[in-house]
Amino acid sequence: NAGVTQTPKFQVLKTGQSMTLQCAQDMNHEYMSWYRQDPGMGLRLIHYSVGAGITDQGEVPNGYNVSRSTTEDFPLRLLSAAPSQTSVYFCASSYSPSNNEQFFGPGTRLTVL
Amino acid sequence: DQQVKQNSPSLSVQEGRISILNCDYTNSMFDYFLWYKKYPAEGPTFLISISSIKDKNEDGRFTVFLNKSAKHLSLHIVPSQPGDSAVYFCAASETNTGKLIFGQGTTLQVKP
């Protein structure tokens, strides 16, 4: 199993550009989530999904969109990038919402100029 | 409002001694608590967890203690090893929502 994979590993955007961060898992996990990590702020939940077709907002959802059309994939979209979205983004998955031993991907480092 | 707080940004201990990392939470609906370990340029990895119906869980060198009345949990590492040097995140969840909320993290340095 590849586990949780994220692409790209690094990305530089200009303010106003859009992009999609990809996340995929091959463990047949129902629960997937996106976090951002910023210095002194820890990991903050952006959006999460408890299964295909179901998504919900986390702590810091503004500026981000998600969809979950398949169990395997959970892309994160930035519609109009802002410098405040410069961060490291982590995708995670687990068997179910009640099993929170989540498996994390290696992260995407995003810089918005 | 930070629902999970790790008030010590860093901790330095000598190899072989005990490391104690602390975490406080404010949401009384949290019913499951976890600790994650993170090395630079890697994703966090699960370390140990505890349900709110317990006050202690042990796994090898790692023990997590939960004090529900104080809304406080701690991670004890005994004995500490240089390979334990990493950032440790405390996390909490409400089972019915599935959301996992993290603290700010504590950087542990274990000196040889």
Side-chain angles (χ1 to χ4, degrees):
Chain A
N1 285 352
V4 179
T5 57
Q6 292 183 237
T7 56
K9 292 191 175 183
F10 302 94
Q11 183 71 49
V12 179
L13 292 177
K14 294 182 180 177
T15 297
Q17 288 185 314
S18 63
M19 79 159 294
T20 299
L21 279 64
Q22 301 291 345
C23 174
Q25 52 90 11
D26 60 359
M27 297 174 282
N28 202 31
H29 287 171
E30 289 294 326
Y31 184 88
M32 296 186 73
S33 53
W34 276 102
Y35 295 87
R36 59 178 288 175
Q37 184 190 9
D38 302 292
M41 303 294 289
L43 291 156
R44 292 183 292 170
L45 181 64
I46 304 172
H47 285 285
Y48 66 102
S49 169
V50 298
I54 306 170
T55 64
D56 206 346
Q57 296 181 349
E59 301 172 275
V60 288
N62 292 341
Y64 307 95
N65 279 354
V66 292
S67 60
R68 184 92 179 272
S69 56
T70 67
T71 299
E72 294 78 20
D73 301 298
F74 191 41
L76 179 72
R77 298 184 189 83
L78 284 71
L79 299 180
S80 179
S84 61
Q85 294 178 304
T86 293
S87 187
V88 181
Y89 292 84
F90 290 100
C91 178
S93 71
S94 64
Y95 289 107
S96 71
S98 60
N99 179 347
N100 278 307
E101 296 173 11
Q102 297 189 34
F103 295 83
F104 280 80
T108 294
R109 183 174 294 275
L110 175 68
T111 300
V112 182
L113 302 175
Chain B
D1 183 31
Q2 193 88 22
Q3 297 184 68
V4 179
K5 298 180 182 179
Q6 294 175 256
N7 292 317
S8 298
S10 63
L11 175 67
S12 180
V13 301
Q14 208 67 34
E15 181 179 5
R17 307 295 290 268
I18 185 171
S19 295
I20 300 176
L21 295 92
N22 294 304
C23 178
D24 297 295
Y25 62 95
T26 58
N27 187 343
S28 58
M29 299 301 293
F30 287 145
D31 56 4
Y32 199 69
F33 303 90
L34 307 91
W35 285 92
Y36 281 80
K37 181 178 179 179
K38 185 183 181 302
Y39 292 117
E42 296 182 8
T45 55
F46 168 75
L47 190 58
I48 192 169
S49 62
I50 187 167
S51 165
S52 60
I53 63 174
K54 297 184 177 181
D55 56 19
K56 177 182 175 181
N57 188 27
E58 192 171 353
D59 183 1
R61 297 185 296 114
F62 303 91
T63 303
V64 57
F65 296 91
L66 176 62
N67 183 334
K68 285 180 61 179
S69 60
K71 293 189 175 68
H72 176 83
L73 66 155
S74 61
L75 174 68
H76 292 209
I77 306 174
V78 183
S80 301
Q81 298 174 353
D84 295 330
S85 298
V87 179
Y88 289 79
F89 290 100
C90 167
S93 73
E94 298 176 49
T95 303
N96 61 342
T97 67
K99 291 196 289 188
L100 191 60
I101 305 299
F102 282 81
Q104 305 97 312
T106 297
T107 300
L108 173 66
Q109 182 184 26
V110 180
K111 297 180 178 177

